[in-house]
Amino acid sequence: MAIRDEILVWNERVKLFAQFLNALSLGMIGFAILRPATESFRLVGLEAWLWGALGLLIHGCAHYILGKLRKDERP
C-alpha cells in the first residue's frame, strides 16, 4: 500500500510542475505576442516572436514532463 501512495505523490508533483510550466509559457506567449498584437500588429517584432517561441518550447517541455507519470505495476 505504501508503494501506491508514493506513486500517487510522485504523479501529483509531476502534474503540478507541468501545470506551472504551462502557466509560465502561456504568460510568456500572451505578453510577448498577444498583447502587442492587440495594440498594433506592427509592434510585434523579432524579439516578441523569439519570446513567443520560447513560450512554445516551455509548453512542449510541460508535455514531455507529463510523460514521466508512473502507474501502479502490481500484478
Side-chain angles (χ1 to χ4, degrees), residues 14-35:
V14 167
K15 288 189 280 186
L16 182 64
F17 186 60
Q19 289 172 355
F20 167 74
L21 287 179
N22 190 47
L24 181 67
S25 69
L26 290 176
M28 289 176 71
I29 293 168
F31 190 73
I33 295 175
L34 297 178
R35 187 178 77 51

Side-chain angles (χ1 to χ4, degrees), residues 38-53:
T38 58
E39 295 171 4
S40 171
F41 197 71
R42 289 182 292 170
L43 294 176
V44 182
L46 178 62
E47 185 176 337
W49 289 110
L50 291 175
W51 279 105

Side-chain angles (χ1 to χ4, degrees), residues 4 13 20 31 61 65:
R4 183 167 189 227
R13 288 181 179 168
F20 167 74
F31 190 73
C61 289
I65 287 171

